[in-house]
Structures are given as structure tokens and as C-alpha cells.
Amino acid sequence: MLKFLDHLEEWLIASLMAAATLITFVAVVHRYAAGTELLHPLVSHINLAWSQELTIYLFVWMAKFGAAYGVRTGIHVGVDVLINRLRDKNRARFIVFGLLAGALFTAIVGTLGAAFVWEIAHTDQTSADLEVPMWIVYLAVPCGSLLMCFRFLQVAWAFVKTGSLPKHDHAHVEGMDDEGGVDNWYALDDNLHPHDVSRRGDKK
């Protein structure tokens, strides 16, 4: 079930990004084509005034689900210089507190967002260009926030059980295997993420 949710999340983000990029590209080409004497008669009757609005909505949905994906994969950046200097026991407490605080915050945002969507759904409010019901647009807030809340709880539970946090190697390219004996010069041991409990020798 979790693997299905992971794949659905990834495909949804990729599809939204691809759709927004394609629509933006078509709109730009149409704008420049309409400004030329040769192509103006062919494209002037095509109305793409809705493209900017749709692109914005697609990026909003992508950002909300992308934030949840970031929690699951550990790509969110945080400055944790002080936390990484703490002993394992204290560092673990701060990490769990931070994850649970994130879960609480996103749960509140998701709940308030759901209440707002429920109110908007009982009105006739529509978007300016697409004229779609605005509750569909605002639905990104509760859906994305509650998914992000679930990811915070998922990471917190895994950390309590294993002492490890999800890591994202910014230098890794998907589909390319590391060659044996070659060091990754870009995989720096920085303080942008909390260290795993198991990385420190002291257990006090």
C-alpha cells in the first residue's frame, strides 16, 4: 500500500510538472507566432488566455505534493549545526520533536484547509479564466498538507525504530551506478540535515 502511495505521489508530481511546462511552452510559442505577420492568421483565433491560470494551479498542486515528497525523501534543507553537536539521546529527542511539530502544523493546516474547501464548495465561486469551481483549486491545501502530515509521522516512526532519517544524495544521478573505487567528491558531510543517531559513537 505504501509503495503504491509512493509511486502515485511521484507520478502525480511528474505529471503536473510536465503538464505545466508543456502548457507554458505552447502559450509562449502561440504568443510569438501571433506577433508575426505570417502566422498571425493561423493562430490569432486560438484563445490561450486560460493557460497562465491553469499553469499556476498546476504548480500549486505540484508544490503541495512535492513538499510531502520532500519529507519522505529527506530533501528539505534545514540548518542543524547545534543539533548535530548534541549527544545521541538529546539529538534524538530534538529530531522527534521537530518531526512531530511538523506533523502537528501540517495537520492543522490540512484541517483548516478542508473546512475552507467545504465552505467554498457551497458557493458559486469559480476561477476567472477557466471558470472551474474554486473548491477544486483549494483542495490542494488539505490534500497536500494531510499527506505531508502522514509523511512526517512515517519518518518519525521509522526514526524511532531505526535511528535513521531519509537521506538524499544531491550528487547522485538516477540510473547511473557508482564506479568502484571512485570517491564522490560532492557527497559532503554537511550540517544541512540532522545526523542519524547511529552515526555518533556516544550513546549518552
Side-chain angles (χ1 to χ4, degrees):
M1 182 63 182
L2 287 179
K3 283 189 175 294
F4 172 77
L5 181 60
D6 294 346
H7 289 306
L8 178 63
E9 183 181 62
E10 293 166 2
W11 276 103
L12 184 60
I13 294 170
S15 299
L16 291 171
M17 184 182 299
T21 303
L22 180 61
I23 292 172
T24 302
F25 174 77
V26 172
V28 171
V29 172
H30 174 268
R31 185 182 305 120
Y32 280 96
T36 63
E37 184 177 350
L38 178 63
L39 299 176
H40 179 77
L42 299 176
V43 300
S44 59
H45 64 282
I46 301 176
N47 181 18
L48 293 180
W50 49 267
S51 60
Q52 182 177 6
E53 182 178 280
L54 179 58
T55 301
I56 292 173
Y57 294 156
L58 290 174
F59 272 110
V60 168
W61 276 81
M62 181 189 67
K64 293 300 295 182
F65 284 94
Y69 173 82
V71 174
R72 175 169 67 89
T73 57
I75 62 177
H76 287 297
V77 175
V79 180
D80 301 291
V81 178
L82 296 179
I83 291 180
N84 288 336
R85 292 180 179 274
L86 298 175
R87 298 180 184 274
D88 276 355
K89 190 174 182 179
N90 291 330
R91 186 168 67 257
R93 289 172 178 170
F94 274 100
I95 292 174
V96 172
F97 173 78
L99 292 171
L100 294 181
L104 176 62
F105 175 76
T106 49
I108 293 174
V109 173
T111 303
L112 295 178
F116 180 73
V117 169
W118 179 259
E119 293 180 3
I120 292 294
H122 290 81
T123 67
D124 297 328
Q125 185 176 352
T126 59
S127 63
D129 296 324
L130 294 172
E131 297 184 352
V132 298
M134 286 304 297
W135 69 267
I136 297 178
V137 178
Y138 293 134
L139 192 62
V141 176
C143 289
S145 297
L146 293 177
L147 178 60
M148 195 173 181
C149 175
F150 171 75
R151 293 305 188 188
F152 271 120
L153 295 175
Q154 183 183 23
V155 172
W157 176 254
F159 177 76
V160 171
K161 291 178 62 178
T162 65
S164 298
L165 291 168
K167 292 291 189 299
H168 178 74
D169 186 359
H170 299 278
H172 175 69
V173 178
E174 194 69 29
M176 295 183 62
D177 297 329
D178 296 332
E179 297 181 4
V182 178
D183 292 332
N184 186 354
W185 297 96
Y186 300 99
L188 302 179
D189 186 15
D190 53 31
N191 285 305
L192 297 180
H193 302 85
H195 293 169
D196 296 337
V197 170
S198 57
R199 292 185 61 174
R200 296 284 292 268
D202 57 310
K203 301 296 181 181
K204 299 179 182 179

